[in-house]
């Protein structure tokens, strides 16, 4: 808790902020992007009296909290601000409040770090999303929100094509307006090769992909495969590509296609050949990549 005496009516706790700064400094040095949530999992600050006043302004204590956090950590490069995790667990009446908070962060942070809103999929097994839940479209006109990420995408066991379709469904909501990200799969795989294939099935929708349960202490065995994905994708222009699975042929399962005849193809069940439909005649540079070992061969 960042407040003195765990009391949000009191100043920020310098000892806690110093501890956070130490952690973020180490992550920054390691090149890790830090997703900073001001509020976690449907925290509704209006229940503690932090409501907008009659002119639509934030409560003084909330403003002091937001300003203190942003001013303290905005000097770090690898920061993504999040004004709410699982924001669609809040009622729609909170939309003006959320927008007022994103506006304040943008006004304070002259480094222009991106801002993200995280949403829980409406078919989650948790069943704690109300009937009047917030949706990404509600923030289409908010110039301060840059990214949308999805939590609790349902798992589909060994049906990897169905899993890919599930990730694709949510990645398309907000696509074209927001940078899209998958943050969490509900009851995600704990073993390989299933975990690796799940991650690729999300990446091949074109969205940025992470898994909230992949951490070095509990599931370090899953991280090496995640690192292989990062090493491969960062060599490409995947951010300019769109899903194009209808181009797949032979044992190719999923395809990303970009401008200038640039493609990424993937298979989890290789048989004799991978194919790609609709290529123009010409010479192509090929990068073959082994998703298990990370071995790469250029042709």
């Amino acid at each position: 808790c960042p407040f003195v005496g765990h009391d949000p009516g009191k100043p920020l706790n310098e000892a806690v902020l110093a501890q956070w700064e130490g952690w973020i400094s180490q992550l920054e040095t390691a090149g890790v992007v830090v997703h900073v949530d001001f509020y976690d999992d449907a925290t509704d600050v209006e229940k503690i009296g932090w409501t907008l006043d009659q002119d639509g302004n934030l409560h003084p204590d909330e403003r002091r909290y937001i300003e203190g956090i942003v001013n303290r950590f905005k000097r770090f490069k690898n920061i993504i601000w999040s004004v709410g995790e699982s924001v669609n667990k809040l009622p729609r009446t909170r939309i003006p409040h959320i927008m007022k908070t994103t506006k304040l962060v943008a006004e304070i942070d002259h480094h222009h770090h991106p801002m993200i809103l995280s949403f829980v999929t409406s078919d989650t097994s948790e069943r704690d999303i109300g009937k009047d839940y917030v949706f990404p479209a509600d923030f289409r006109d908010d110039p301060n929100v840059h990214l949308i990420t999805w939590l609790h995408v349902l798992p589909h066991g060994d049906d990897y094509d169905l899993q890919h379709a599930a990730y694709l469904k949510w990645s398309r909501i907000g696509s074209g307006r927001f940078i899209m990200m998958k943050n969490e799969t509900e009851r995600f795989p704990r073993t390989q090769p299933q975990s690796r294939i799940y991650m690729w099935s999300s990446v091949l929708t074109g969205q940025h992909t992470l898994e909230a349960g992949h951490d070095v202490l509990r599931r370090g065995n899953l991280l090496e495969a995640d690192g292989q994905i990062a090493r491969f994708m960062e060599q490409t222009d995947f951010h300019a590509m769109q899903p194009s699975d209808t181009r797949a042929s032979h044992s190719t399962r999923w395809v990303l296609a970009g401008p200038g005849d640039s493609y990424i193809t993937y298979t989890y069940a290789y048989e004799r050949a991978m194919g790609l439909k609709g290529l123009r005649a010409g010479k192509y540079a090929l990068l073959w990549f082994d998703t298990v070992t990370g071995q790469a061969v250029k042709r």
Side-chain angles (χ1 to χ4, degrees):
C1 181
F3 304 105
V4 172
H6 306 283
D7 183 349
K10 293 182 179 179
L12 293 172
N13 188 327
E14 179 59 32
V16 172
L17 298 186
Q19 184 184 53
W20 291 3
E21 190 160 15
W23 292 338
I24 295 175
S25 295
Q26 294 180 61
L27 293 164
E28 177 105 332
T29 300
V32 176
V33 178
V34 181
H35 178 152
V36 179
D37 277 312
F38 290 98
Y39 304 116
D40 184 46
D41 205 6
T43 301
D44 189 348
V45 295
E46 295 203 5
K47 292 183 177 180
I48 64 168
W50 285 6
T51 58
L52 300 181
D53 64 19
Q54 60 183 7
D55 296 320
N57 298 313
L58 295 173
H59 189 283
D61 287 343
E62 182 174 20
R63 184 179 183 92
R64 175 170 49 83
Y65 163 55
I66 298 294
E67 288 179 340
I69 296 297
V70 174
N71 283 325
R72 181 63 177 256
F73 301 116
K74 67 183 180 183
R75 68 178 178 83
F76 292 103
K77 292 182 179 180
N78 298 338
I79 290 285
I80 296 176
W81 302 119
S82 170
V83 301
E85 193 261 3
S86 304
V87 291
N88 54 332
K89 293 183 180 180
L90 298 174
R92 298 184 62 78
T93 53
R94 299 296 185 265
I95 293 175
H97 196 143
I98 296 169
M99 288 186 174
K100 183 63 70 169
T101 309
T102 62
K103 182 179 180 182
L104 176 60
V105 174
E107 289 172 349
I108 303 169
D109 183 6
H110 59 275
H111 296 293
H112 307 296
H113 290 91
M115 264 184 273
I116 190 169
L117 291 177
S118 63
F119 293 79
V120 177
T121 61
S122 56
D123 52 5
T124 175
S125 62
E126 290 188 344
R127 306 300 179 197
D128 55 353
I129 299 177
K131 293 181 179 180
D132 63 341
Y133 57 83
V134 176
F135 208 64
D138 295 317
F139 299 92
R140 183 169 290 276
D141 296 328
D142 186 339
N144 304 309
V145 178
H146 310 98
L147 298 94
I148 295 295
T149 189
W150 288 103
L151 309 168
H152 289 263
V153 180
L154 292 183
H156 294 278
D158 290 335
D159 193 332
Y160 300 124
D161 289 309
L162 194 58
Q163 190 64 48
H164 175 69
Y167 290 136
L168 190 60
K169 168 187 173 182
W170 295 106
S171 72
R172 285 173 167 166
I173 297 176
S175 179
R177 162 59 179 87
F178 304 105
I179 298 170
M180 301 304 297
M181 181 183 294
K182 188 273 292 181
N183 195 325
E184 184 179 26
T185 308
E186 200 164 282
R187 301 184 302 278
F188 61 91
R190 266 65 169 176
T191 58
Q192 301 292 14
Q194 193 178 55
S195 174
R196 180 180 69 249
I197 298 172
Y198 266 51
M199 294 295 279
W200 279 99
S201 74
S202 176
V203 167
L204 266 289
T205 67
Q207 65 184 336
H208 293 262
T209 294
L210 58 103
E211 190 62 73
H214 286 198
D215 65 78
V216 69
L217 294 179
R218 296 177 296 170
R219 302 181 185 96
N221 63 307
L222 304 179
L223 293 177
E224 184 176 356
D226 296 349
Q228 302 292 15
I229 294 174
R231 278 187 283 277
F232 173 78
M233 298 302 288
E234 288 172 1
Q235 300 178 68
T236 75
D237 54 349
F238 78 94
H239 59 278
M241 295 184 174
Q242 296 293 327
S244 189
D245 295 337
T246 57
R247 288 181 173 269
S249 68
H250 296 77
S251 64
T252 299
R253 307 307 304 180
W254 312 313
V255 178
L256 285 176
D261 286 315
S262 181
Y263 304 93
I264 298 173
T265 67
Y266 174 85
T267 185
Y268 57 81
Y270 175 77
E271 293 182 6
R272 295 184 298 279
M274 293 178 67
L276 188 60
K277 298 175 185 176
L279 287 180
R280 292 191 299 173
K283 293 183 179 181
Y284 288 81
L286 296 179
L287 172 61
W288 296 98
F289 187 79
D290 187 319
T291 62
V292 179
T293 66
Q295 182 181 2
V297 177
K298 293 183 178 181
R299 290 284 184 266

